[in-house]
Protein backbone atom coordinates (compact mmCIF):
# COMPACT_ATOMS: atom_id res chain seq x y z
CA UNK A 1 0.00 0.00 0.00
CA UNK A 2 1.10 3.57 -0.68
CA UNK A 3 1.77 5.97 2.19
CA UNK A 4 -1.43 7.92 1.47
CA UNK A 5 -3.52 4.74 1.60
CA UNK A 6 -1.95 3.66 4.89
CA UNK A 7 -2.51 7.14 6.36
CA UNK A 8 -6.19 7.06 5.32
CA UNK A 9 -6.58 3.59 6.84
CA UNK A 10 -5.03 4.76 10.11
CA UNK A 11 -7.41 7.74 10.28
CA UNK A 12 -10.39 5.50 9.55
CA UNK A 13 -9.30 3.21 12.40
CA UNK A 14 -8.88 6.24 14.69
CA UNK A 15 -12.41 7.45 13.92
CA UNK A 16 -13.83 3.96 14.40
CA UNK A 17 -12.06 3.70 17.77
CA UNK A 18 -13.48 7.08 18.83
CA UNK A 19 -16.98 5.95 17.87
CA UNK A 20 -16.74 2.65 19.74
CA UNK A 21 -15.04 4.10 22.82
CA UNK A 22 -16.92 7.42 23.21
CA UNK A 23 -19.91 7.34 20.83
CA UNK A 24 -18.77 10.41 18.85
CA UNK A 25 -19.25 9.74 15.15
CA UNK A 26 -16.82 11.61 12.90
CA UNK A 27 -16.63 8.81 10.33
CA UNK A 28 -18.49 10.73 7.64
CA UNK A 29 -16.80 14.08 8.14
CA UNK A 30 -14.82 15.54 5.26
CA UNK A 31 -11.55 13.60 5.07
CA UNK A 32 -9.23 16.56 4.30
CA UNK A 33 -10.57 18.48 7.30
CA UNK A 34 -10.27 15.50 9.67
CA UNK A 35 -6.79 14.71 8.38
CA UNK A 36 -5.60 18.28 8.95
CA UNK A 37 -7.03 18.44 12.46
CA UNK A 38 -5.70 15.00 13.36
CA UNK A 39 -2.14 16.01 12.51
CA UNK A 40 -2.60 19.26 14.44
CA UNK A 41 -3.47 17.23 17.56
CA UNK A 42 -0.56 14.81 16.96
CA UNK A 43 1.84 17.77 16.95
CA UNK A 44 0.21 19.37 20.00
CA UNK A 45 0.45 16.10 21.96
CA UNK A 46 4.06 15.57 20.78
CA UNK A 47 3.24 12.12 19.42
CA UNK A 48 4.90 10.13 16.65
CA UNK A 49 1.87 9.49 14.45
CA UNK A 50 -1.78 8.51 14.04
CA UNK A 51 -1.44 5.12 15.72
CA UNK A 52 0.08 6.78 18.79
CA UNK A 53 -2.79 9.27 18.89
CA UNK A 54 -5.31 6.44 18.66
CA UNK A 55 -3.72 4.67 21.63
CA UNK A 56 -3.68 7.85 23.72
CA UNK A 57 -7.28 8.73 22.83
CA UNK A 58 -8.50 5.26 23.86
CA UNK A 59 -6.83 5.37 27.28
CA UNK A 60 -6.86 9.10 28.04
CA UNK A 61 -10.30 10.81 27.96
CA UNK A 62 -8.68 14.23 28.44
CA UNK A 63 -6.86 13.74 25.12
CA UNK A 64 -10.19 12.82 23.54
CA UNK A 65 -11.66 16.08 24.87
CA UNK A 66 -8.88 18.06 23.21
CA UNK A 67 -9.30 16.18 19.91
CA UNK A 68 -13.08 16.64 20.11
CA UNK A 69 -12.57 20.39 20.35
CA UNK A 70 -10.21 20.24 17.34
CA UNK A 71 -12.85 18.38 15.32
CA UNK A 72 -15.56 20.87 16.31
CA UNK A 73 -15.80 23.84 13.96
CA UNK A 74 -15.75 27.02 16.05
CA UNK A 75 -14.72 29.81 13.69
CA UNK A 76 -17.37 32.54 13.66
CA UNK A 77 -18.14 36.22 14.21
CA UNK A 78 -21.22 38.38 14.62
CA UNK A 79 -23.12 39.17 11.41
CA UNK A 80 -20.64 37.03 9.53
CA UNK A 81 -21.18 37.52 5.78
CA UNK A 82 -23.24 40.71 6.34
CA UNK A 83 -25.08 40.44 3.01
CA UNK A 84 -26.66 37.22 4.24
CA UNK A 85 -28.21 39.06 7.17
CA UNK A 86 -29.20 41.96 4.95
CA UNK A 87 -31.02 39.49 2.71
CA UNK A 88 -32.67 37.92 5.76
CA UNK A 89 -33.84 41.36 6.82
CA UNK A 90 -35.27 42.20 3.39
CA UNK A 91 -36.55 38.85 2.13
CA UNK A 92 -37.38 36.66 5.14
CA UNK A 93 -38.39 38.93 8.03
CA UNK A 94 -41.42 40.43 6.20
CA UNK A 95 -42.85 36.92 5.75
CA UNK A 96 -42.03 35.80 9.30
CA UNK A 97 -43.90 38.89 10.49
CA UNK A 98 -47.16 37.25 9.38
CA UNK A 99 -46.73 34.35 11.84
CA UNK A 100 -48.27 34.50 15.35
CA UNK A 101 -45.17 32.81 16.82
CA UNK A 102 -41.77 32.08 15.26
CA UNK A 103 -39.62 29.04 16.00
CA UNK A 104 -36.02 29.16 14.77
CA UNK A 105 -33.21 26.61 14.90
CA UNK A 106 -29.57 27.66 14.63
CA UNK A 107 -27.78 24.33 14.14
CA UNK A 108 -24.04 24.21 14.87
CA UNK A 109 -24.19 27.52 16.75
CA UNK A 110 -20.62 27.32 18.13
CA UNK A 111 -19.93 30.16 20.59
CA UNK A 112 -23.16 31.94 19.72
CA UNK A 113 -22.19 34.90 17.56
CA UNK A 114 -24.71 34.01 14.86
CA UNK A 115 -27.44 33.43 17.44
CA UNK A 116 -27.05 36.88 18.97
CA UNK A 117 -26.84 38.42 15.50
CA UNK A 118 -30.16 36.85 14.59
CA UNK A 119 -31.74 37.94 17.89
CA UNK A 120 -30.66 41.54 17.23
CA UNK A 121 -32.09 41.36 13.72
CA UNK A 122 -35.41 40.08 15.09
CA UNK A 123 -35.42 42.84 17.73
CA UNK A 124 -34.96 45.52 15.09
CA UNK A 125 -37.74 44.05 12.97
CA UNK A 126 -40.13 43.94 15.93
CA UNK A 127 -40.23 40.13 16.00
CA UNK A 128 -38.09 39.14 18.98
CA UNK A 129 -40.92 39.10 21.53
CA UNK A 130 -42.80 36.42 19.57
CA UNK A 131 -39.74 34.34 18.65
CA UNK A 132 -37.92 31.42 20.21
CA UNK A 133 -34.42 30.61 18.93
CA UNK A 134 -33.11 27.11 19.64
CA UNK A 135 -29.33 27.21 19.41
CA UNK A 136 -27.60 23.83 19.31
CA UNK A 137 -24.13 22.42 19.03
CA UNK A 138 -22.53 19.07 19.83
CA UNK A 139 -19.82 20.79 21.90
CA UNK A 140 -20.95 21.48 25.49
CA UNK A 141 -17.96 23.72 26.11
CA UNK A 142 -18.83 26.25 23.39
CA UNK A 143 -22.53 26.06 24.27
CA UNK A 144 -21.79 27.16 27.82
CA UNK A 145 -19.82 30.10 26.48
CA UNK A 146 -22.62 31.01 24.08
CA UNK A 147 -25.29 30.93 26.80
CA UNK A 148 -23.33 33.41 28.92
CA UNK A 149 -23.52 36.05 26.20
CA UNK A 150 -19.95 37.24 26.83
CA UNK A 151 -17.67 38.24 23.98
CA UNK A 152 -14.22 39.80 23.85
CA UNK A 153 -14.18 43.55 23.37
CA UNK A 154 -11.40 43.01 20.82
CA UNK A 155 -13.96 41.57 18.41
CA UNK A 156 -16.47 44.40 18.74
CA UNK A 157 -14.99 46.64 16.06
CA UNK A 158 -15.26 43.93 13.38
CA UNK A 159 -18.68 42.92 14.71
CA UNK A 160 -19.85 46.53 14.50
CA UNK A 161 -18.60 46.86 10.93
CA UNK A 162 -20.49 43.69 9.98
CA UNK A 163 -23.63 44.94 11.74
CA UNK A 164 -23.60 48.18 9.77
CA UNK A 165 -23.14 46.34 6.47
CA UNK A 166 -26.04 44.05 7.44
CA UNK A 167 -28.37 47.05 7.57
CA UNK A 168 -28.20 47.69 11.31
CA UNK A 169 -30.60 50.40 12.44
CA UNK A 170 -29.06 51.49 15.73
CA UNK A 171 -25.70 51.94 17.41
CA UNK A 172 -24.42 48.38 17.90
CA UNK A 173 -23.16 49.32 21.38
CA UNK A 174 -26.80 49.69 22.51
CA UNK A 175 -27.04 45.91 22.71
CA UNK A 176 -24.29 45.28 25.24
CA UNK A 177 -22.55 46.69 28.27
CA UNK A 178 -18.83 46.55 28.97
CA UNK A 179 -17.53 44.50 31.86
CA UNK A 180 -13.75 44.42 32.21
CA UNK A 181 -12.52 43.28 28.78
CA UNK A 182 -15.81 41.72 27.73
CA UNK A 183 -19.04 42.78 26.06
CA UNK A 184 -22.10 41.45 27.89
CA UNK A 185 -25.26 41.30 25.78
CA UNK A 186 -28.43 42.56 27.42
CA UNK A 187 -30.90 40.14 28.97
CA UNK A 188 -33.69 41.23 26.61
CA UNK A 189 -31.63 39.78 23.75
CA UNK A 190 -30.98 36.53 25.63
CA UNK A 191 -34.53 35.90 26.88
CA UNK A 192 -35.71 34.24 23.66
CA UNK A 193 -32.66 31.96 23.37
CA UNK A 194 -32.61 28.27 24.29
CA UNK A 195 -29.21 26.56 24.17
CA UNK A 196 -29.07 22.75 23.99
CA UNK A 197 -26.62 20.04 23.03
CA UNK A 198 -27.53 18.36 19.73
CA UNK A 199 -25.44 16.30 17.33
CA UNK A 200 -26.44 16.61 13.67
CA UNK A 201 -24.81 13.25 12.97
CA UNK A 202 -26.66 11.13 15.51
CA UNK A 203 -29.65 13.10 16.91
CA UNK A 204 -33.12 13.51 15.43
CA UNK A 205 -35.55 16.36 14.88
CA UNK A 206 -36.94 17.88 18.08
CA UNK A 207 -39.48 20.46 16.84
CA UNK A 208 -41.00 22.08 13.76
CA UNK A 209 -39.34 25.33 12.72
CA UNK A 210 -40.17 28.31 10.54
CA UNK A 211 -36.49 29.07 9.95
CA UNK A 212 -33.36 26.91 10.16
CA UNK A 213 -29.86 28.32 9.87
CA UNK A 214 -26.88 26.00 9.45
CA UNK A 215 -24.07 27.97 7.90
CA UNK A 216 -20.57 26.73 7.07
CA UNK A 217 -21.10 23.40 8.83
CA UNK A 218 -22.09 20.97 6.09
CA UNK A 219 -18.92 21.69 4.14
CA UNK A 220 -17.11 19.58 6.77
CA UNK A 221 -19.33 16.52 6.08
CA UNK A 222 -19.05 14.08 3.22
CA UNK A 223 -21.88 13.68 0.70
CA UNK A 224 -23.57 10.81 2.57
CA UNK A 225 -23.75 12.74 5.81
CA UNK A 226 -24.84 15.92 4.02
CA UNK A 227 -27.83 14.03 2.60
CA UNK A 228 -28.76 12.74 6.06
CA UNK A 229 -28.61 16.23 7.56
CA UNK A 230 -30.67 17.67 4.70
CA UNK A 231 -33.29 15.00 5.45
CA UNK A 232 -33.27 16.17 9.06
CA UNK A 233 -33.69 19.82 8.08
CA UNK A 234 -36.43 19.10 5.54
CA UNK A 235 -38.40 17.08 8.09
CA UNK A 236 -37.87 19.78 10.73
CA UNK A 237 -39.14 22.67 8.59
CA UNK A 238 -42.76 23.73 8.65
CA UNK A 239 -44.54 24.16 5.29
CA UNK A 240 -43.08 27.26 3.60
CA UNK A 241 -40.32 27.43 6.20
CA UNK A 242 -36.92 28.94 5.36
CA UNK A 243 -33.49 27.31 5.22
CA UNK A 244 -30.31 29.41 5.35
CA UNK A 245 -26.99 27.80 4.41
CA UNK A 246 -23.42 29.04 4.13
CA UNK A 247 -22.23 30.63 0.92
CA UNK A 248 -20.13 27.55 0.07
CA UNK A 249 -23.11 25.23 0.46
CA UNK A 250 -26.21 24.46 -1.59
CA UNK A 251 -29.23 22.20 -1.81
CA UNK A 252 -28.70 21.88 -5.57
CA UNK A 253 -27.30 18.35 -5.50
CA UNK A 254 -29.60 16.96 -2.79
CA UNK A 255 -32.73 14.89 -3.33
CA UNK A 256 -34.74 17.75 -1.79
CA UNK A 257 -33.63 20.37 -4.34
CA UNK A 258 -37.00 20.50 -6.11
CA UNK A 259 -38.85 20.81 -2.82
CA UNK A 260 -37.45 24.30 -2.22
CA UNK A 261 -37.60 27.58 -4.08
CA UNK A 262 -34.79 30.13 -4.16
CA UNK A 263 -35.25 33.14 -1.93
CA UNK A 264 -31.72 34.42 -2.50
CA UNK A 265 -29.57 32.14 -4.62
CA UNK A 266 -26.43 34.18 -3.95
CA UNK A 267 -26.81 34.04 -0.16
CA UNK A 268 -28.14 30.45 -0.20
CA UNK A 269 -31.53 31.12 1.38
CA UNK A 270 -34.34 28.75 0.37
CA UNK A 271 -38.04 28.22 1.13
CA UNK A 272 -39.71 24.84 1.46
CA UNK A 273 -42.60 24.66 -1.01
CA UNK A 274 -43.65 21.01 -0.99
Amino acid sequence: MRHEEIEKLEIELLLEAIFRRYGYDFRNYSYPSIKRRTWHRIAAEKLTGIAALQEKVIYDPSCMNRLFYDFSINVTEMFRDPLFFLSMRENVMPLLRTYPFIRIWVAGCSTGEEVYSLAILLEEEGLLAKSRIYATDMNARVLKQAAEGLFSLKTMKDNTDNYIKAGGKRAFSEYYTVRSNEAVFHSRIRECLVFAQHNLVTDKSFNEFHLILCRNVLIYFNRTLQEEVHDLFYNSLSPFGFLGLGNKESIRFTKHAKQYEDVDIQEKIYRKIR
Side-chain angles (χ1 to χ4, degrees):
M1 294 178 70
R2 295 178 302 165
H3 171 75
E4 293 81 4
E5 293 172 330
I6 294 173
E7 180 185 47
K8 191 172 189 295
L9 174 60
E10 285 189 308
I11 290 177
E12 289 173 353
L13 292 172
L14 168 66
L15 300 182
E16 185 66 30
I18 290 170
F19 178 68
R20 294 192 184 188
R21 174 74 169 85
Y22 297 99
Y24 301 133
D25 194 352
F26 295 101
R27 294 173 297 179
N28 282 316
Y29 274 50
S30 165
Y31 178 71
S33 175
I34 287 291
K35 174 183 172 181
R36 183 172 63 254
R37 292 164 191 271
T38 295
W39 282 106
H40 167 78
R41 180 48 44 195
I42 289 169
E45 302 289 329
K46 297 180 171 57
L47 299 172
T48 56
I50 299 168
L53 178 62
Q54 177 179 320
E55 181 179 3
K56 187 168 185 179
V57 160
I58 289 174
Y59 292 102
D60 183 357
S62 66
C63 180
M64 180 62 240
N65 287 339
R66 293 188 290 274
L67 183 60
F68 180 86
Y69 194 76
D70 290 337
F71 284 173
S72 302
I73 313 304
N74 301 304
V75 179
T76 185
E77 60 188 19
M78 299 196 74
F79 292 94
R80 184 181 187 183
D81 302 320
L83 293 181
F84 173 87
F85 285 95
L86 183 60
S87 183
M88 289 286 295
R89 187 188 294 273
E90 295 175 348
N91 298 313
V92 176
M93 295 298 147
L95 294 166
L96 292 183
R97 190 171 288 114
T98 64
Y99 297 171
F101 190 77
I102 305 164
R103 290 183 301 275
I104 300 172
W105 180 15
V106 180
C109 71
S110 187
T111 46
E113 283 84 346
E114 184 163 65
V115 180
Y116 287 92
S117 302
L118 184 59
I120 289 169
L121 179 56
L122 290 164
E123 165 79 359
E124 293 188 350
E125 296 302 316
L127 301 177
L128 188 63
K130 65 172 184 177
S131 300
R132 179 79 70 217
I133 303 176
Y134 297 84
T136 67
D137 202 279
M138 67 176 182
N139 188 327
R141 176 176 162 188
V142 298
L143 272 176
K144 182 176 183 297
Q145 182 179 342
E148 291 172 347
L150 303 176
F151 299 95
S152 170
L153 274 181
K154 294 178 181 178
T155 66
M156 284 302 120
K157 182 183 183 304
D158 288 340
N159 292 340
T160 300
D161 290 343
N162 286 347
Y163 167 75
I164 293 169
K165 293 174 184 175
K169 297 180 178 180
R170 305 175 187 171
F172 189 56
S173 58
E174 290 183 20
Y175 294 106
Y176 62 87
T177 56
V178 176
R179 182 193 304 166
S180 186
N181 293 318
E182 293 178 315
V184 185
F185 278 80
H186 296 317
S187 59
R188 76 175 188 276
I189 298 297
R190 302 201 306 269
E191 285 173 354
C192 72
L193 308 181
V194 177
F195 291 93
Q197 201 165 3
H198 182 278
N199 191 328
L200 289 172
V201 178
T202 57
D203 295 335
K204 305 302 181 184
S205 178
F206 59 94
N207 211 325
E208 185 177 81
F209 300 95
H210 303 107
L211 169 64
I212 297 175
L213 297 189
C214 185
R215 302 174 64 223
N216 304 304
V217 175
L218 298 181
I219 54 174
Y220 296 101
F221 299 166
N222 68 14
R223 183 60 60 85
T224 299
L225 187 52
Q226 287 176 2
E227 285 285 359
E228 291 177 6
V229 175
H230 275 292
D231 284 344
L232 173 63
F233 289 159
Y234 179 81
N235 292 327
S236 298
L237 272 177
S238 65
F240 303 105
F242 296 91
L243 176 65
L245 301 177
N247 55 21
K248 297 182 178 65
E249 298 159 337
S250 174
I251 60 167
R252 182 179 175 186
F253 299 106
T254 75
K255 66 183 181 184
H256 296 295
K258 294 182 179 179
Q259 295 166 311
Y260 291 90
E261 66 178 5
D262 296 328
V263 174
D264 188 330
I265 194 168
Q266 186 68 34
E267 297 303 326
K268 304 301 182 1
I269 301 172
Y270 308 95
R271 194 178 194 190
K272 180 178 176 179
I273 56 172
R274 62 181 74 162

